[in-house]
Amino acid sequence: MKTQFFLFCALLDSLSFFSCNSELSDNVNQDRIYTVYELFYNANEDKTYARATFHFSNEAGTRLELAGDSKVVFDGDPLTFNSVLAYYEREYAGFRPQGEFEWTDTEGNLYRNTVEIHPIRFAPGIDTIDRSQAYELFWEEGELKANEIVVLTINGENEGDARIFSTNDVGASSIILDKDKLSQVGQGPGTAFLERSYLPAIREAPSAGGRLTGRQRAENLEVYMK
């Protein structure tokens, strides 16, 4: 179960990078629309993004552009459709720790879902990581709770040497970086990327279901891989 949970979460970001075709939402049964809501804070930019994506049947299904009287808002602010990536988005300056998505379908049904972000940042004093042995990397802003995952990516100087580490252990405040993976990262300057995602059960959705995520990316950390 832990492995399946990690694999699912690791794919969340990658889904939005593919070229997306969409169709109008009034062409499908409204009860078969799968809804995805995400509140994402990037500490490197000091921006928060509220995003909503609508799919036919399930998350792998065709993305939908809302039609007719259907609309989606976040804390009362309308989200704008990105026609390239086929999702709705609004940007906010600074950190918005929580908020409510409201979606009205073409039949007037209203769905409300509140999402919150659980913050994270690197613990101080991390500047060098020894690639020849296992390393325990700590973070700040609290231990993991249920339905949370932390993902760490270390990218070295060499092409294709980025490696991913993760944990969703309840109570964890660190990730153990195993020696085998660390040894595959190039020696020299590198960059560490740290994200924390909270994935509670969606509260209001059509029968097709949906996903709710609160996510923060910590400020990137420059490290030396020795």
Side-chain angles (χ1 to χ4, degrees):
M1 180 62 70
K2 178 178 176 180
T3 301
Q4 292 175 337
F5 182 79
F6 164 64
L7 290 175
F8 169 75
C9 294
L11 288 173
L12 298 187
D13 277 342
S14 63
L15 292 175
S16 65
F17 288 99
F18 292 97
S19 177
C20 299
N21 295 319
S22 64
E23 65 177 77
L24 296 178
S25 66
D26 57 359
N27 291 332
V28 303
N29 182 334
Q30 300 299 286
D31 204 41
R32 295 193 63 191
I33 295 178
Y34 184 94
T35 55
V36 177
Y37 306 108
E38 181 182 62
L39 190 63
F40 169 52
Y41 175 65
N42 189 336
N44 299 282
E45 303 173 341
D46 192 26
K47 283 184 181 180
T48 302
Y49 299 84
R51 293 171 178 161
T53 313
F54 302 90
H55 304 255
F56 177 65
S57 185
N58 56 59
E59 193 160 0
T62 302
R63 295 194 180 198
L64 303 172
E65 181 178 359
L66 302 182
D69 294 328
S70 185
K71 63 180 181 179
V72 60
V73 300
F74 178 78
D75 282 346
D77 298 325
L79 306 188
T80 301
F81 186 66
N82 182 319
S83 59
V84 176
L85 298 176
Y87 61 57
Y88 288 81
E89 183 179 69
R90 187 179 182 93
E91 298 181 10
Y92 296 93
F95 177 51
R96 291 180 72 109
Q98 63 181 20
E100 183 179 65
F101 288 92
E102 290 188 358
W103 168 51
T104 305
D105 69 15
T106 60
E107 298 173 353
N109 300 305
L110 176 62
Y111 302 90
R112 295 187 179 95
N113 286 280
T114 300
V115 61
E116 61 185 45
I117 296 173
H118 297 172
I120 193 169
R121 59 180 172 172
F122 286 99
I126 304 171
D127 54 18
T128 302
I129 295 177
D130 189 342
R131 299 158 54 250
S132 67
Q133 60 186 4
Y135 182 89
E136 186 173 10
L137 185 141
F138 289 86
W139 66 77
E140 295 189 335
E141 301 291 356
E143 299 176 345
L144 283 189
K145 297 180 173 58
N147 302 314
E148 286 192 280
I149 184 169
V150 164
V151 177
L152 171 76
T153 303
I154 299 181
N155 190 21
E157 281 198 312
N158 299 332
E159 183 74 22
D161 69 352
R163 293 297 179 266
I164 298 173
F165 309 83
S166 74
T167 182
N168 65 343
D169 291 338
V170 173
S173 58
S174 65
I175 301 179
I176 301 296
L177 314 183
D178 62 89
K179 183 177 71 172
D180 288 345
K181 276 190 179 181
L182 280 179
S183 66
Q184 297 168 21
V185 179
Q187 183 176 8
T191 305
F193 308 88
L194 186 66
E195 290 197 358
R196 182 178 194 163
S197 296
Y198 174 51
L199 297 101
I202 197 163
R203 185 166 60 93
E204 296 185 2
S207 295
R211 174 169 61 81
L212 192 63
T213 306
R215 180 166 61 101
Q216 175 165 326
R217 182 175 299 160
E219 288 192 47
N220 299 340
L221 180 69
E222 302 303 315
V223 293
Y224 185 83
M225 307 299 295
K226 74 171 188 177

